[in-house]
Amino acid sequence: MNLPTEIGVFLLSLSSLGVIYAMNNMPSLQDPVSILGIGAAVLVMLYVLVYYSVRNNSPKDPLFYVFAVFSFTCVIDLIIAAEEDGYVSGFMEFYMKEGEPYLRTAFGIMMCYWDGTVHYFLYLVMVRRVANKQPYRGVGLFWIGSLLVNMIVFVPGIVLGKYGSEIRPAFLLNVPYVLVPMWAAITLFHRPRELPIIPADTIAAEQRKGLLHRPLDMILLLFLLWAMVIAIFRGFVVLECPLDFCFTYIYQYEPYLKDPVVFPKVLMLLYLFYGLPMLAVFTYGLVKPGCTWMLDWTLFFAGGVAQAQWSHIGASLHPRTPFTYRVPEDTWWPVLLLNLLFALGPQLLAWRCHRHPEFFMKNVPQGQTNQEKKQN
């Protein structure tokens, strides 16, 4: 009896438990160089094992192997987070000491929870769709946004923060998680969009509506303008703006922004220099009909913000963060609400674009469907 492909990948990923448990109980394998060597060898062996296990019905999509191998490390990340929070023990103590000690930070723990749950689920979904020859471009763009933003914050934060002097050889294991998502992003963005067939009359009617006749879009536009203000404000805060309200905010509302691990600082700068321009072009896309790129970039942005805000919110409240940098109890709710709104807005925007894409589709002559246009 042949197991479904996603079940096979799931069972293979669970083998990581045996690998890390064995290494944790074998002192000869716990020096920094051995950890790097074994980690790299395991990734290569996983690829070979997956390749030969599906050789009789080999998927044509090369990203299948990425999803299968990365799902293995998702289980490891989940164990790291669970062990650091005291739910399990005896698996990753050696890795925290001689591998990547910065994963002990609150940000590292929350990042591992996200990778071990959300990314893990997305990998299994995409593996299933590849195996069944179903499209997964939308799911893939959300995953790419999530993973790339994760690494863009995580890697510079390690180098620039207080753990910059504790970088071990295992730091190089992050390189595939930076390079492979870039290649995957290029691959997915070049694939055809998964657009529904909608009559041209319906598209034209939707695109004739002004913003006042699209109340959800009006709400989303107001959110985008608000999010732009927040991105600018918090960017100025972490850049140590001397204005009184910036000083008040970082000390009385969100002191986590000055945590010496610098992950929050890197994130706020990412929002300021990259998130802000994307928010601005999304406002244009909500006003100007036919901006088909909104269907792609809102998903990418939603994935990135979801992951970033999960790690940021969780770390700012986590007991592993020193008390002086945690959100004060008397300002807990306003700060939490601000961060939750900043996280949920892009999800709603992406949902709106894909639930009713008529406004964002290219206009075609009246009475002609998109399918007819393609045939012509």
Side-chain angles (χ1 to χ4, degrees):
M1 179 179 177
N2 291 327
L3 290 173
T5 306
E6 68 276 12
I7 300 299
V9 170
F10 170 74
L11 294 176
L12 178 63
S13 67
L14 294 182
S15 65
S16 60
L17 298 174
V19 173
I20 58 177
Y21 185 81
M23 290 187 67
N24 197 58
N25 289 277
M26 298 178 67
S28 60
L29 301 178
Q30 295 177 8
D31 64 278
V33 176
S34 295
I35 292 174
L36 172 62
I38 293 173
V42 167
L43 291 178
V44 173
M45 290 175 61
L46 279 171
Y47 170 79
V48 173
L49 183 60
V50 172
Y51 177 81
Y52 279 100
S53 65
V54 297
R55 67 185 182 278
N56 294 329
N57 188 23
S58 179
K60 296 181 180 180
D61 191 337
L63 288 176
F64 171 86
Y65 303 99
V66 174
F67 305 147
V69 172
F70 279 16
S71 66
F72 181 93
T73 58
C74 285
V75 176
I76 295 177
D77 280 346
L78 186 58
I79 293 300
I80 288 174
E83 185 160 319
E84 289 303 308
D85 277 343
Y87 297 115
V88 299
S89 61
F91 288 93
M92 298 301 299
E93 182 180 356
F94 77 98
Y95 195 78
M96 295 298 98
K97 291 180 179 178
E98 302 297 340
E100 298 187 86
Y102 33 80
L103 290 176
R104 287 177 178 250
T105 64
F107 186 92
I109 292 171
M110 299 308 298
M111 182 195 73
C112 287
Y113 274 126
W114 183 269
D115 192 53
T117 54
V118 177
H119 285 167
Y120 194 24
F121 173 76
L122 293 177
Y123 291 138
L124 296 179
V125 168
M126 291 187 287
V127 162
R128 177 181 175 82
R129 293 194 176 185
V130 172
N132 294 335
K133 297 180 172 59
Q134 296 174 338
Y136 65 90
R137 186 173 181 273
V139 178
L141 290 176
F142 184 91
W143 161 69
I144 284 294
S146 175
L147 188 55
L148 278 179
V149 169
N150 178 21
M151 300 311 296
I152 290 172
V153 174
F154 183 59
V155 173
I158 295 168
V159 177
L160 300 173
K162 69 176 186 179
Y163 284 92
S165 60
E166 297 186 42
I167 294 177
R168 313 281 202 274
F171 174 77
L172 296 176
L173 294 174
N174 291 298
V175 172
Y177 293 88
V178 176
L179 299 181
V180 172
M182 291 181 180
W183 164 68
I186 295 172
T187 301
L188 290 175
F189 272 110
H190 279 84
R191 292 183 181 179
R193 293 187 180 95
E194 302 155 11
L195 295 176
I197 297 175
I198 301 174
D201 298 350
T202 303
I203 295 175
E206 183 67 22
Q207 294 185 356
R208 282 195 299 267
K209 293 180 180 179
L211 194 60
L212 294 177
H213 294 88
R214 293 181 282 124
L216 178 57
D217 288 357
M218 176 64 79
I219 294 172
L220 288 170
L221 182 62
L222 293 175
F223 161 77
L224 291 172
L225 295 174
W226 170 83
M228 291 168 65
V229 173
I230 296 300
I232 294 171
F233 172 67
R234 295 205 292 187
F236 283 6
V237 166
V238 298
L239 289 173
E240 300 180 1
C241 175
L243 295 176
D244 289 342
F245 58 84
C246 291
F247 181 86
T248 300
Y249 182 81
I250 200 169
Y251 280 93
Q252 296 185 15
Y253 287 87
E254 207 166 4
Y256 179 61
L257 296 180
K258 58 186 178 70
D259 191 322
V261 296
V262 310
F263 293 123
K265 182 174 184 177
V266 174
L267 177 58
M268 295 306 120
L269 294 178
L270 182 66
Y271 283 154
L272 177 63
F273 293 110
Y274 295 95
L276 179 61
M278 293 190 73
L279 291 168
V281 297
F282 290 157
T283 63
Y284 174 83
L286 284 175
V287 175
K288 179 70 173 178
C291 295
T292 314
W293 48 264
M294 286 280 286
L295 303 176
D296 294 342
W297 287 100
T298 53
L299 274 174
F300 178 87
F301 189 73
V305 172
Q307 191 284 329
Q309 287 298 105
W310 162 267
S311 298
H312 181 72
I313 294 171
S316 67
L317 304 173
H318 198 280
R320 187 62 61 88
T321 297
F323 180 79
T324 54
Y325 298 120
R326 274 182 251 160
V327 176
E329 291 184 6
D330 56 344
T331 59
W332 197 85
W333 280 111
V335 173
L336 180 63
L337 181 61
L338 180 147
N339 280 296
L340 286 176
L341 287 175
F342 200 94
L344 293 176
Q347 317 310 312
L348 182 59
L349 177 62
W351 175 85
R352 181 266 179 270
C353 291
H354 286 266
R355 187 72 175 84
H356 298 287
E358 297 90 347
F359 184 80
F360 308 102
M361 297 177 71
K362 295 296 183 183
N363 201 2
V364 295
Q366 191 169 4
Q368 187 180 33
T369 64
N370 289 349
Q371 184 64 27
E372 290 169 340
K373 181 185 177 185
K374 292 176 184 177
Q375 292 174 351
N376 291 337

